[in-house]
Amino acid sequence: MLLVKLGGSVVTEKDKLRTARRPAIRRLAGELAAVRQPLLVVHGAGSFGHILASRHRLNEGGSTPAKRAAAARVQADVRDLDRLIVDALNAVRLAAASIPPSAVLSLDDGSVSSMDLTPFLEFASMGFTPVTFGDVVRDVRRGFSICSGDLLMLELARAFRPDRAVFVADVDGLFTADPKRRRDARLLDKISEADLSKIEFSSAKRTDVTGSIEGKVRRMFEIAGHTGECLIVNGNVKNRVRDALRGRRVVGTRIARGP
Ligand code: IPE
């Protein structure tokens, strides 16, 4: 089993509200099909989630009528993006079975309180490709919370122990500093927890409601503990995702297991 997360920055225009990158979605679906191995697919929300979630401060929970309306809107929007991705996967005969986190997962102050993995296990065993995504979900303490695709990657890695987990980003991997701001930023080929202090993390963009890059990297170490291999690759480079999933040596950052 292989686990892949299509990041929101690759499948959407992150700064343009509800704007999908349809050609990238189609190409990546083709690359996933070319791997010819059972897959679990997670995708981020990008501009179908972060912009409104940040505008209405949905990561803080709260249950006013205005917040509920915004939460419901974001839930509907991320389903719209999911529909585009599912259609692209079905077009290449990956038999996508979409499993919305809002239906199967509940959080407790942002951490997983319960998750029904049965739909994932059963659809996967029947030869479907389970697909899930960053969403607004129930939170027993906050009312609702944002659930990131990264948190779903962790839960699925724990349950399925995939051979490989691949994070698909719009950059080559993790750099010593933000490559979009610093020309001297260097790509890290492999990173272990001890290397974290060497990275100059820039503060996360204002619209990123699911936390800092550093927090995401820490979660990746946890995911790496449940997978044979864990890496970040650039989904904007043709066939890189395909080759990474096949286990070829590609440009990217490998996340080492353990401390
Ligand atoms: C975000 O999920 C979920 C919502 C904002 C509703 P992710 O954090 O996994 O999405 P990307 O990959 O950063 O866009």
Side-chain angles (χ1 to χ4, degrees), residues 8 12-14 16-19 44-59 70-71 73-79 81 134-136 146-147 207-210:
T12 77
E13 298 284 354
K14 262 214 130 165
K16 284 196 201 143
L17 185 64
R18 291 190 284 268
T19 309
S47 58
F48 288 69
H50 284 280
I51 297 175
L52 287 189
S54 153
R55 191 177 296 163
H56 296 279
R57 296 209 242 159
L58 298 186
N59 50 340
R73 174 77 224 226
V74 172
Q75 275 190 346
D77 287 350
V78 293
R79 273 175 177 66
L81 172 63
D135 200 357
V136 179
I146 305 286
C147 170
T207 50
D208 203 323
V209 289
T210 49

Side-chain angles (χ1 to χ4, degrees), residues 23-202:
I25 292 173
R26 269 197 301 272
R27 176 178 51 78
L28 288 167
E31 292 191 29
L32 297 188
V35 178
R36 298 188 183 283
Q37 279 194 61
L39 291 166
L40 295 167
V41 178
V42 176
H43 62 81
S47 58
F48 288 69
H50 284 280
I51 297 175
L52 287 189
S54 153
R55 191 177 296 163
H56 296 279
R57 296 209 242 159
L58 298 186
N59 50 340
E60 294 164 15
S63 210
T64 61
K67 281 220 169 184
R68 276 199 297 275
R73 174 77 224 226
V74 172
Q75 275 190 346
D77 287 350
V78 293
R79 273 175 177 66
D80 285 346
L81 172 63
D82 183 61
R83 178 59 193 265
L84 295 176
I85 292 174
V86 161
D87 284 348
L89 296 172
N90 286 340
V92 292
R93 300 180 66 86
L94 277 176
S98 177
I99 304 164
S102 56
V104 294
L105 172 72
S106 130
L107 301 183
D108 181 347
D109 210 15
S111 303
V112 175
S113 146
S114 68
M115 181 167 180
D116 181 9
L117 288 161
T118 321
F120 293 92
L121 295 163
E122 291 186 347
F123 274 123
S125 73
M126 287 188 290
F128 284 82
T129 303
V131 180
T132 193
F133 45 88
D135 200 357
V136 179
V137 302
R138 290 160 285 151
D139 188 306
V140 293
R141 218 166 292 224
R142 299 183 196 161
F144 56 82
S145 266
I146 305 286
C147 170
S148 70
D150 297 13
L151 187 57
L152 297 161
M153 288 290 279
L154 175 58
E155 293 308 310
L156 293 174
R158 225 199 291 273
F160 284 85
R161 305 216 154 243
D163 300 315
R164 196 164 288 118
V166 175
F167 286 84
V168 181
D170 65 343
V171 289
D172 280 346
L174 269 177
F175 287 77
T176 48
D178 184 346
K180 289 175 184 164
R181 292 172 204 204
R182 294 271 299 264
R183 290 183 68 113
D184 59 348
R186 206 169 34 79
L187 178 68
L188 295 159
D189 178 56
K190 186 166 186 178
I191 176 170
S192 63
E193 279 195 83
D195 298 324
L196 269 182
S197 57
K198 290 184 203 155
I199 301 181
E200 189 188 301
F201 289 105
S202 61

